[in-house]
Amino acid sequence: MLDFLSLAFVVAVKVFKKTTPNGKVTVYLGKRDFIDHVDYCDPVDGVVVVDTEYLKGRKVYSQLVTTYRFGREEDEVMGVKFSKELVIGQDQVVPMVNAKMELTPVQEKLLKKLGPNAFPFTFTFPEMSPSSVTLQPSDEDQGKPMGVDYCVRTYVADNEDDKGHKRSSVTLAIKKLQHAPASRGRRLPSSLVSKGFTFSNGKISLEVTLDKEIYYHGEKVAANIIVSNNSRKSVRNIRCMVVQHVEITMINSQFSRHVASLESREGCPVTPGASLSKTFYLVPLARSNKDIRGVALDGHLKEDDVNLASSTLVSEGKCPADAIGIVVSYSVRVKLNCGTLGGELVTDVPFKLLHPAEGSVERQRFNAMKKMQSIERHRYENSLYANEEEDNIVFEDFARLRMNEPE
C-alpha cells in the first residue's frame, strides 16, 4: 500500500529548453514566470549545455534583456525607433567565471542529470524593474505589439561585445509578474459623492462600496450602490463599469479602457424623495475584450496563457509615480443618468487586480482552474525540487511555447 502511495505522489518536473539552430548550445529554464514579490524578485536561474569541442577557444555568454516598445513598429520611419532594448544582466557562462556560484535546487538537479558539459547561470532583476505587459493590438496593426517583455539570450562569441551569429544564438522569452500579498486586508474601498442642480433645491447622493480591496483574476467584483434622491430630478438608469487605466511612462501617455460593464434600469427611475440600494457583479476578463485595441495584458507567451494585466505594485516607501514601464491600475466607475438637463453623476472607486499569492488556498484554486482550461500547461514552483531523491524531469521544447520572440 505504501509503495502504491509513493508512486501516486511522484511528480514529474517540467523544464523548458531551447537549442540553437546548429544544435551546439541548449538552454534550460525551470519556469517561464518569475514573480516580483515587491520586496524581492525570483532569480532567473538556468543551465546551459554546450558542445565544448565546437567552441574552439570561444566563450558562451548569457544576457537578461528587456525590450520596451512604446509605439507601433509600422510607424518607424526615417530611422525613428519606438522601442528601447536594455541589457540588464550579462554573464560569461562558459568557461565559468564564478566557480563558487550558489546554485538553486533546479540548477542542482539539472547539473546532476545533464553531465559535465552543463554550466549554470543566474540573473536578478533590478529594483523597480517593470512587469511584463502587452498592449493588445488591433487586427490592422502589424509587427510586434507595444509593451514590456523580457528574454534570456545566450550566444557564442570571442568576447562579450560580439553579438554572435544567429546559428549559435538562442533566445527564450520569459515573464516578470506581480502577485498579491498574502493578506488582502480588511479595508473596503468606498466613495460618496453628491450632485446639486442649478435653479433646483436638493441633491442626489451616490455611495459605492466594494467588498474587497484586492481581487484575483477571474473573481467577481461586487459593487454595492446606494442612491438617495433628495432633489427634484429623477435617476433614469445606472451604469457600472470596471475601468483599466494605463500609463506609458516613456511618452507620458495615459488612457483608459472599459473591460467590463453593466447597465440597469431595474428600480429606475429613482424619483424625488426615493432611494435605491443595489449590488452589481462584474467579472473583468481578457477573453471578453479580445476586440478592444490597447487593453493591457500580462505579457503572454501563448494564446491560452493570457490575463488582464495585473495592477502595478510598488514597495513600501516608494511613490507610485516612480514606477516605470507600463503602469496599470483599476477602478469601478458608476454613472447615474439624471436626464437630459440633469446630466450625469459619476464616481470612481479604485481597487487592485492581481494573481493570488504563492502558497495560498486561492492560489491552489487558481492553478487548478488553469489546469482544467489547458491540461498540458502544468505550473510547478521551486517547492517541487525540494525532494533530492526524485529525479523525474520532463523536458519540453521552449520554442512551441513562446508567442513573440525578440530577434
Side-chain angles (χ1 to χ4, degrees), residues 58-341:
R58 293 177 296 176
K59 302 173 182 178
V60 178
Y61 297 92
S62 191
Q63 298 175 332
L64 178 60
V65 182
T66 180
T67 303
Y68 185 3
R69 176 162 291 280
F70 50 89
R72 299 195 307 171
E73 190 173 11
E74 55 265 36
D75 293 337
E76 296 179 344
V77 293
M78 300 183 67
V80 177
K81 289 287 186 180
F82 294 129
S83 66
K84 296 289 184 181
E85 182 179 285
L86 181 64
V87 177
I88 57 179
Q90 181 163 329
D91 191 17
Q92 178 182 307
V93 182
V94 184
M96 287 187 64
V97 177
N98 182 13
K100 298 182 179 180
M101 177 190 300
E102 184 176 351
L103 301 178
T104 61
V106 62
Q107 287 175 326
E108 292 177 355
K109 291 185 69 68
L110 287 173
L111 291 175
K112 179 181 177 181
K113 187 175 184 67
L114 298 174
N117 289 341
F119 302 87
F121 65 87
T122 301
F123 294 115
T124 56
F125 289 96
E127 185 180 3
M128 296 291 288
S129 57
S131 298
S132 298
V133 176
T134 299
L135 299 186
Q136 185 166 261
S138 66
D139 295 335
E140 293 77 17
D141 290 339
Q142 301 176 357
K144 298 177 182 178
M146 292 188 289
V148 177
D149 58 67
Y150 292 89
C151 68
V152 175
R153 181 185 299 156
T154 303
Y155 60 95
V156 178
D158 293 323
N159 56 72
E160 63 181 12
D161 295 328
D162 292 344
K163 293 185 178 180
H165 197 280
K166 284 188 176 181
R167 66 173 176 267
S168 59
S169 303
V170 60
T171 302
L172 295 82
I174 61 175
K175 294 188 295 183
K176 179 178 179 288
L177 304 175
Q178 287 186 318
H179 285 184
S183 174
R184 299 204 205 192
R186 297 183 178 181
R187 191 179 76 88
L188 302 182
S190 62
S191 174
L192 176 61
V193 295
S194 60
K195 178 181 176 67
F197 302 93
T198 307
F199 308 119
S200 178
N201 295 328
K203 297 181 179 180
I204 295 179
S205 298
L206 169 63
E207 182 178 1
V208 181
T209 305
L210 306 183
D211 61 336
K212 300 171 188 173
E213 182 182 9
I214 297 176
Y215 292 90
Y216 301 141
H217 290 285
E219 279 190 335
K220 290 182 179 179
V221 178
N224 185 38
I225 298 172
I226 300 176
V227 180
S228 300
N229 190 356
N230 296 315
S231 71
R232 297 182 180 179
K233 304 290 184 179
S234 296
V235 177
R236 305 291 182 84
N237 58 51
I238 303 173
R239 189 180 182 193
C240 186
M241 300 161 284
V242 174
V243 183
Q244 181 190 72
H245 308 276
V246 179
E247 179 183 359
I248 305 177
T249 58
M250 179 68 74
I251 55 177
N252 197 23
S253 174
Q254 300 177 359
F255 60 90
S256 299
R257 294 289 184 269
H258 297 164
V259 293
S261 64
L262 182 62
E263 185 171 347
S264 175
R265 295 179 181 272
E266 184 180 354
C268 296
V270 182
T271 56
S275 61
L276 174 66
S277 179
K278 186 177 179 62
T279 302
F280 285 82
Y281 295 96
L282 300 170
V283 184
L285 296 172
R287 61 174 177 266
S288 303
N289 298 274
K290 288 185 176 181
D291 300 328
I292 302 179
R293 180 177 182 269
V295 171
L297 309 172
D298 273 340
H300 56 289
L301 308 177
K302 198 179 177 188
E303 283 293 349
D304 64 345
D305 178 26
V306 58
N307 288 297
L308 292 174
S310 298
S311 300
T312 302
L313 302 179
V314 295
S315 57
E316 188 175 355
K318 298 288 185 179
C319 177
D322 294 336
I324 59 176
I326 296 180
V327 181
V328 179
S329 60
Y330 292 88
S331 68
V332 170
R333 179 174 295 169
V334 179
K335 289 185 178 182
L336 303 184
N337 181 4
C338 303
T340 305
L341 299 179

